[in-house]
Amino acid sequence: MKLLTRTSLSYIGVSFVVFIISALIFYNLLHQIFKHQLDETLNEEKLLIEQTINYSDSVPDFRLVFGHMIDVTILNAPQVKTGHIRDTLMYDNELGAFASFRHLFAENTSIRNKGYTINIYKPLRDTEKLIAEIVISLVLVFVSLLLLLVFVNYFITRRVWIPFYRILNNLGRYEINQPAPLEIQHTDIYEFNLLNQALEKMSKKIQFDYMNLKEFNENAAHELQTPLAIIKSKLELLVQKENLDDDQLRLIGAAFEATARMSKLNQGLLLISKIENNQFIQTEEINIAGLIDGTLEHFEEIIGHRGITVSKNYQYPVHLKMNPALAEIFITNLVSNAIKHNVNNGHIAVTLQPGSFIIANTGHVLKIDPLELFKRFRKSDNNPDSVGLGLAIVQKIATLYRLKIDYLHHDGYHTLNISFS
Amino acid sequence: MKILLIEDETELSGSISEYLQKENYLCETATTYEYAIEKINLYQYDCIVVDINLPDGSGLELIRALKEQKSETGIIIISARNSLDDKITGLEIGADDYLTKPFHLPELNARIKSIIRRRSFGGSNEIIYNDLSILPDKMEVMVLGEPITLTKKEYDLLVFFLANKDRVLTREAIAEHLWGDEMDLADSFDFIYTHIKNLRKKIIEKGGADYIRTIYGMGYKFTDQ
């Protein structure tokens, strides 16, 4: 839910509840007031009737005076003074139906030693109508006020939060491995400026740490090259010595193999950090079909040796704008991957089509999650000697050139689909 | 043959010169830019192996200085950087080859030989070894004067062996020579074995001697001893 929707809805909700409660209170209050007033009128009329009887010693027809139902009955004996005012239902002649009336009843009223009962009925119809009218007009005023407020609030909030959305947008676009810093725009709202400052500080710190780490990785890999070169060269000299027995040769051989692996690993890591550092700037149109053909030719003997057959289906010439060295590494890694993880007498199928190219190879089912394939140092356990950087490098290059790699396994084929827009 | 090795890492420089000295090269070393410039100005070399990152200057500058002298010296860059730009710049300003550290000594040796051969024989640069002769320009191989047909990899392998005869070549060095350093095929040693087997067979079939020895757990050696 959007911030604006949420605040508007809360605003409407709270206003609605407050409105209902205050309307009820208001209605009751109005009712009380009107009833009170009616009762006062009834009492006044009663007083007037008593005075009139007292004065004239007769019971005139009060209906003519007051225009509504008044009933005065003479009682035989003086009664105890009693009386009340309450609501009652009565047949209304004017209305032709039962309706609410306010009814004053007074008994006793000994006037000149005679007892009377006085009943005065006043219809509530008019008061209720009045109350209804007042309430309705108030509701109308209130609702329009509420709507106005909600709208005003909506527009004000929207205006006020504009910097916030700008910050969000900038944050969304911010990429830590890009040299461009987080865009900070000054606003005239104190809190957003605070937020901006905090974000700026944080992003600078993160970027600094990230750069530091990256630099460290790169330097570490770089600095390892020389000692590795020395070890390698010394071992190569050692191997040339005469009179080495088989056991010594085996030991040197193992050390040599490990050094070779380490140096491959190091080169891979260096390459990755170079890609991350955007050190491959120069690009040109690369003919993917030509590159794949060249790579397959390069590995021709190995492919032949393992009895692997290759089928090519070039439906469409694929040209990608890439750095030539990276393009070569990309394709070489993909192709050598398809050879390495193939089975003897297996098959490699290369397809070039509009929007994508596919390299598929037969092979055993993966023992790891396909998504893990593209992470560094992840390898399936049937190839302990491989360094495990090939596909991580492929992924890095793909990310650099916005290529999308999808892995699929079906019909015994590992399929890598490289799509581009 | 005089070679100047410009490399600030003395241990590495020591290894390289030790390996090259066995090829009967006269190998001189320089560890700084200053010293290297001095040597270049005073003496003539057949080949110069230069590291790009020197403590007091750039190897690229050395190459420029050398080229200003209109020197015919062959130049091989060795660099830890593996930077494409350095490689392109280096080759553009006149270097003959580029090797990335860490490299195999037989590889450097083979490249030096190839450069010297190209420069000193002016066209006729036949490699002769007992009953074998190779014409690198035509990529032709003869056994006892009779041509044999080799695949590209077999040919590369033979030239690599001849450049490093009487030396133990590790399988790693051979694999990297044949397929480059992007090669990460764990079972590539099998292919080397197959190539060597085929190469040996083709030479023996034409009456040539069997020169390739297998060094257990390590690699191969091309020798007539």
Side-chain angles (χ1 to χ4, degrees):
Chain A
M1 191 183 276
K2 280 178 90 173
L3 189 72
L4 210 55
T5 325
R6 181 54 165 270
T7 46
S8 298
L9 278 183
S10 314
Y11 202 79
I12 293 173
V14 171
S15 309
F16 190 72
V17 170
V18 169
F19 168 66
I20 294 283
I21 292 171
S22 52
L24 283 174
I25 292 171
F26 182 69
Y27 178 80
N28 273 324
L29 213 63
L30 220 56
H31 227 270
Q32 294 293 323
I33 291 167
F34 276 100
K35 209 170 259 181
H36 187 72
Q37 215 161 17
L38 207 61
D39 291 356
E40 259 177 21
T41 322
L42 283 171
N43 277 327
E44 269 168 28
E45 281 183 11
K46 186 193 116 191
L47 214 66
L48 217 65
I49 289 165
E50 281 169 354
Q51 278 172 1
T52 314
I53 295 170
N54 201 11
Y55 202 66
S56 63
D57 200 12
S58 67
V59 181
D61 191 354
F62 289 106
R63 250 167 293 190
L64 295 173
V65 182
F66 295 106
H68 52 82
M69 289 167 75
I70 295 174
D71 177 51
V72 183
T73 317
I74 305 162
L75 297 170
N76 295 327
Q79 300 290 315
V80 188
K81 229 177 176 170
T82 167
H84 58 252
I85 300 176
R86 56 169 67 129
D87 289 340
T88 183
L89 263 180
M90 261 181 67
Y91 191 79
D92 191 333
N93 284 326
E94 271 177 62
L95 213 65
F98 280 91
S100 290
F101 281 85
R102 195 68 178 158
H103 172 211
L104 179 136
F105 168 75
E107 198 173 51
N108 93 350
T109 330
S110 57
I111 307 162
R112 298 188 177 214
N113 296 322
K114 274 186 203 156
Y116 298 90
T117 50
I118 301 173
N119 285 295
I120 311 172
Y121 300 91
K122 256 187 177 308
L124 281 169
R125 185 166 12 107
D126 293 339
T127 355
E128 265 164 9
K129 211 171 137 193
L130 194 62
I131 291 175
E133 273 166 10
I134 293 173
V135 168
I136 284 170
S137 51
L138 264 170
V139 164
L140 282 177
V141 169
F142 198 90
V143 165
S144 34
L145 202 68
L146 181 72
L147 282 178
L148 189 74
L149 272 175
V150 166
F151 272 111
V152 167
N153 180 56
Y154 180 86
F155 286 110
I156 289 179
T157 315
R158 209 168 67 165
R159 269 194 77 84
V160 163
W161 287 96
I162 282 176
F164 178 75
Y165 285 107
R166 208 178 291 141
I167 293 169
L168 270 190
N169 197 20
N170 287 343
L171 268 181
R173 271 186 316 190
Y174 177 63
E175 271 178 59
I176 192 164
N177 51 5
Q178 297 298 315
L182 182 65
E183 265 181 76
I184 299 292
Q185 278 145 328
H186 189 80
T187 73
D188 47 5
I189 294 169
Y190 175 72
E191 282 81 359
F192 288 145
N193 276 335
L194 270 189
L195 179 66
N196 263 335
Q197 280 167 18
L199 283 175
E200 193 177 14
K201 208 171 136 194
M202 204 171 76
S203 69
K204 273 187 182 153
K205 169 91 178 112
I206 293 173
Q207 200 155 24
F208 179 76
D209 286 352
Y210 176 79
M211 288 297 170
N212 243 351
L213 193 69
K214 217 166 70 166
E215 213 168 286
F216 172 79
N217 282 342
E218 202 187 340
N219 287 344
H222 194 80
E223 290 306 316
L224 274 173
Q225 292 286 77
T226 310
L228 267 174
I230 294 172
I231 296 173
K232 223 168 163 177
S233 67
K234 296 296 168 195
L235 284 172
E236 258 169 346
L237 288 177
L238 184 58
V239 120
Q240 309 302 336
K241 301 285 176 217
E242 306 290 325
N243 310 323
L244 288 174
D245 62 34
D246 279 0
D247 206 33
Q248 286 164 332
L249 277 173
R250 192 180 51 80
L251 291 177
I252 301 168
F256 199 85
E257 226 177 280
T259 316
R261 258 180 73 188
M262 193 159 148
S263 114
K264 279 228 164 82
L265 185 77
N266 209 42
Q267 277 170 21
L269 288 175
L270 261 180
L271 179 66
I272 287 179
S273 62
K274 269 181 197 155
I275 298 169
E276 281 175 347
N277 284 348
N278 253 328
Q279 288 180 4
F280 296 90
I281 307 156
Q282 170 234 353
T283 57
E284 52 187 69
E285 286 280 314
I286 305 290
N287 175 13
I288 295 298
L291 202 52
I292 292 177
D293 286 347
T295 312
L296 284 170
E297 205 184 300
H298 189 61
F299 292 127
E300 186 171 55
E301 292 95 346
I302 296 175
I303 294 170
H305 179 84
R306 294 192 54 184
I308 297 169
T309 48
V310 178
S311 66
K312 297 174 190 169
N313 181 11
Y314 297 169
Q315 305 163 359
Y316 192 80
V318 173
H319 290 270
L320 294 177
K321 223 174 164 54
M322 287 172 92
N323 176 283
L326 285 187
E328 197 185 316
I329 294 168
F330 188 70
I331 297 298
T332 305
N333 280 354
L334 282 174
V335 171
S336 74
N337 194 64
I339 301 169
K340 209 186 327 183
H341 300 292
N342 219 316
V343 289
N344 286 340
N345 303 316
H347 183 64
I348 294 175
V350 188
T351 310
L352 264 63
Q353 56 193 36
S356 76
F357 63 96
I358 300 163
I359 295 181
N361 65 280
T362 46
H364 301 293
V365 179
L366 283 177
K367 289 192 182 113
I368 55 168
D369 180 5
L371 285 176
E372 296 276 298
L373 275 180
F374 297 96
K375 289 191 179 157
R376 293 177 195 185
F377 309 123
R378 285 313 304 238
K379 44 196 177 185
S380 55
D381 43 13
N382 51 17
N383 241 330
D385 284 339
S386 90
V387 172
L389 279 179
L391 284 180
I393 292 170
V394 163
Q395 178 71 69
K396 276 276 170 245
I397 298 173
T399 314
L400 182 67
Y401 294 112
R402 295 197 169 76
L403 306 172
K404 193 169 165 286
I405 305 178
D406 292 301
Y407 169 84
L408 208 86
H409 185 266
H410 85 125
D411 286 350
Y413 277 87
H414 298 288
T415 308
L416 286 176
N417 185 350
I418 295 95
S419 47
F420 42 87
S421 44
Chain B
M1 290 292 159
K2 252 175 92 180
I3 290 170
L4 176 62
L5 174 61
I6 307 156
E7 160 68 60
D8 59 319
E9 201 65 49
T10 44
E11 280 299 340
L12 190 58
S13 159
S15 299
I16 297 170
S17 57
E18 191 181 334
Y19 194 92
L20 296 181
Q21 264 153 19
K22 285 203 183 137
E23 299 289 324
N24 291 323
Y25 290 138
L26 187 67
C27 192
E28 292 184 4
T29 54
T31 50
T32 62
Y33 177 84
E34 280 298 309
Y35 192 38
I37 282 281
E38 208 181 304
K39 288 220 162 207
I40 288 171
N41 289 332
L42 285 175
Y43 309 106
Q44 274 291 321
Y45 296 94
D46 296 290
C47 186
I48 288 180
V49 179
V50 56
D51 184 4
I52 285 191
N53 300 311
L54 292 169
D56 56 344
S58 160
L60 292 173
E61 285 309 312
L62 271 175
I63 299 170
R64 289 200 181 96
L66 208 58
K67 286 290 152 184
E68 267 170 30
Q69 299 176 9
K70 306 260 181 264
S71 160
E72 284 292 305
T73 310
I75 301 163
I76 295 180
I77 296 172
I78 50 172
S79 165
R81 267 201 217 155
N82 193 15
S83 146
L84 197 74
D85 291 339
D86 276 356
K87 189 172 179 175
I88 291 170
T89 322
L91 297 180
E92 259 173 17
I93 61 175
D96 298 272
D97 214 337
Y98 182 100
L99 259 181
T100 306
K101 285 188 208 170
F103 48 80
H104 293 275
L105 295 177
E107 184 67 42
L108 177 65
N109 184 29
R111 303 231 187 160
I112 291 173
K113 282 210 168 144
S114 148
I115 286 173
I116 290 176
R117 204 169 54 231
R118 266 184 281 161
R119 290 183 176 262
S120 45
F121 293 100
S124 154
N125 48 9
E126 199 176 1
I127 309 168
I128 299 171
Y129 184 76
N130 297 341
D131 46 10
L132 291 175
S133 61
I134 299 174
L135 293 165
D137 292 337
K138 298 177 186 165
M139 287 177 66
E140 258 180 27
V141 181
M142 320 255 244
V143 180
L144 294 164
E146 274 218 49
I148 56 170
T149 319
L150 298 180
T151 66
K152 173 137 197 333
K153 290 279 185 290
E154 284 160 5
Y155 172 80
D156 285 346
L157 192 61
L158 181 62
V159 174
F160 191 51
F161 268 131
L162 282 170
N164 292 286
K165 47 187 181 283
D166 298 325
R167 307 284 193 123
V168 176
L169 290 183
T170 57
R171 293 173 300 195
E172 286 83 3
I174 297 172
E176 214 167 294
H177 180 78
L178 293 185
W179 288 289
D181 55 0
E182 275 113 43
M183 176 75 174
D184 183 25
L185 296 175
D187 42 7
S188 60
F189 296 161
D190 286 352
F191 311 126
I192 295 171
Y193 172 75
T194 315
H195 284 314
I196 285 173
K197 201 175 71 183
N198 292 340
L199 179 64
R200 189 187 260 154
K201 205 171 81 188
K202 283 178 182 173
I203 295 173
I204 293 170
E205 266 175 2
K206 296 279 176 182
D210 181 11
Y211 296 112
I212 304 170
R213 310 255 178 286
T214 305
I215 311 292
Y216 171 77
M218 176 64 67
Y220 303 89
K221 191 175 186 175
F222 197 88
T223 179
D224 56 359
Q225 282 153 25

